[in-house]
Amino acid sequence: MSALICGSFAYDTIMVYTGHFKNEILPDRVHMLNVSFLVPEMRREFGGCAGNIAYSLKLLGGEGMPMGTVGTDFDDYAAWMDEHGISRDYIKGVDDAYTAQAYITTDLDDNQITAFHPGAMNYAHEQQVPSDAGITLGIVSPDGKDGMVQHAAQFAEAGIDFIFDPGQGLPMFNGEELKRFLGQAAYVAVNDYEAELMSDRTGLSVAEMAKNLKAMIVTKGGEGSVIHADGEQFKIPAGSPTALADPTGCGDAFRAGLIWGLQQGLDWPTIGRVASLMGTIKIERPGTQNHRFTMDEFKARYKEEFEQELG
């Protein structure tokens, strides 16, 4: 199975504040907020949901083609993708625009404050899901709003199962728009906060949303995840990270695990554990595309974490 990964490409400037935001923001002064955080650690990383998912899927040996729009400053990222054998067939350059940029500050509680410039991502709708490229699985991850709407419709029209992964783009959509996505997607992947927001906006419970999907996956951070599928709830344990270096990109690594598991035809408890382990491995390294492993190492870690073989 070949997966088309629709979403953003971005440069992430990641800063670590060696304190706690809650100690610097006074609740009775939020209407006149003026704070400055000293960030002794800073690095620039390759990121964006499509890029991150494609990178992690490649580590697993899955077939994935990211699709997105990028700016005139994409050369370094393009060289990185070529170095790691990630397809650029469905990446479109946009003149007079920067590649999307995220400026992320993380405190010691793993809380994050992010400023995001969408740049070329706003032109995502200029890309179209190909119906004749042998694509059998898709994902619509955070991107320009029009692009997400159109790509979901194009997947549905082509009869290609896809994962709806709204992520931080979820607030862009109202209840009716979210119901349309639910009617088009085969799978939905959200965290527990996003699940609650979707429920509030659509008026549907998680069980009601899952009813017409092949699966609805709700992640709960360190508490693991729950997969609603086939009328059942599969509770998936979290992994045991050896370090908590950086939570940025853990959700994207998790979704790469979902895609790979679907490509392999695995059952939901196994798919969930593969995805969980991907998030665990990611959080142990700073940045979104700096984790490494061989499949033999991954299978050994899987057996260690879950006390069962990964076939």
Side-chain angles (χ1 to χ4, degrees):
M1 296 176 70
S2 182
L4 187 70
I5 304 164
C6 301
S8 62
F9 286 87
Y11 288 110
D12 293 338
T13 299
I14 301 172
M15 297 158 280
V16 178
Y17 171 55
T18 54
H20 305 270
F21 294 145
K22 64 184 178 184
N23 296 334
E24 307 299 331
I25 299 175
L26 302 176
D28 60 342
R29 292 290 186 269
V30 293
H31 63 287
M32 50 184 294
L33 192 63
N34 186 1
V35 294
S36 177
F37 302 108
L38 178 64
V39 287
E41 298 179 39
M42 187 183 85
R43 63 188 186 277
R44 191 176 190 232
E45 304 281 0
F46 302 114
C49 294
N52 294 341
I53 294 170
Y55 174 84
S56 285
L57 183 59
K58 188 70 176 182
L59 289 179
L60 287 166
E63 291 294 327
M65 296 175 291
M67 184 172 85
T69 45
V70 300
T72 55
D73 56 345
F74 193 67
D75 287 352
D76 289 346
Y77 205 143
W80 170 263
M81 293 178 68
D82 291 345
E83 179 184 344
H84 291 86
I86 301 170
S87 169
R88 291 196 284 122
D89 291 349
Y90 295 100
I91 295 177
K92 176 183 172 65
V94 178
D95 294 334
D96 302 321
Y98 289 110
T99 301
Q101 314 272 330
Y103 297 87
I104 304 164
T105 305
T106 302
D107 75 355
L108 294 182
D109 292 326
D110 284 339
N111 296 310
Q112 293 183 326
I113 297 174
T114 301
F116 186 73
H117 170 67
M121 197 179 80
N122 284 333
Y123 298 85
H125 59 279
E126 295 185 358
Q127 291 277 70
Q128 185 165 345
V129 172
S131 59
D132 57 352
I135 294 163
T136 54
L137 180 64
I139 183 168
V140 174
S141 61
D143 210 344
K145 180 178 181 179
D146 290 344
M148 293 178 71
V149 169
Q150 292 184 25
H151 296 155
Q154 290 160 7
F155 275 127
E157 184 177 349
I160 299 171
D161 283 354
F162 73 94
I163 302 167
F164 177 51
D165 167 33
Q168 292 179 331
L170 180 57
M172 295 189 294
F173 303 105
N174 61 35
E176 289 306 311
E177 290 168 328
L178 291 171
K179 285 181 179 179
R180 189 177 306 119
F181 283 121
L182 288 168
Q184 295 166 330
Y187 315 96
V188 170
V190 289
N191 63 30
D192 49 357
Y193 172 79
E194 293 158 359
E196 186 175 339
L197 182 56
M198 282 188 72
S199 182
D200 181 66
R201 293 197 174 182
T202 62
L204 301 171
S205 67
V206 169
E208 288 171 330
M209 286 187 278
K211 188 175 181 181
N212 295 317
L213 297 166
K214 291 186 177 180
M216 182 162 183
I217 302 98
V218 181
T219 61
K220 299 174 179 289
E223 298 178 14
S225 59
V226 178
I227 299 177
H228 304 259
D230 304 322
E232 298 185 62
Q233 291 185 31
F234 301 98
K235 294 183 178 180
I236 308 300
S240 303
T242 58
L244 299 175
D246 183 0
T248 311
C250 287
D252 296 329
F254 184 97
R255 281 142 183 79
L258 292 179
I259 292 171
W260 184 82
L262 289 168
Q263 289 179 328
Q264 302 302 311
L266 303 177
D267 58 39
W268 282 113
T270 305
I271 292 173
R273 283 168 171 77
V274 168
S276 179
L277 181 54
M278 286 299 294
T280 299
I281 290 171
K282 207 314 301 159
I283 205 171
E284 295 171 348
R285 295 294 302 274
T288 58
Q289 298 181 31
N290 293 322
H291 47 297
R292 307 275 193 280
F293 57 78
T294 66
M295 277 308 296
D296 285 343
E297 290 170 340
F298 187 84
K299 289 180 179 181
R301 179 76 180 270
Y302 184 96
K303 183 177 181 180
E304 177 186 346
E305 291 279 353
F306 305 118
E307 297 182 346
Q308 56 187 241
E309 299 281 353
L310 176 61

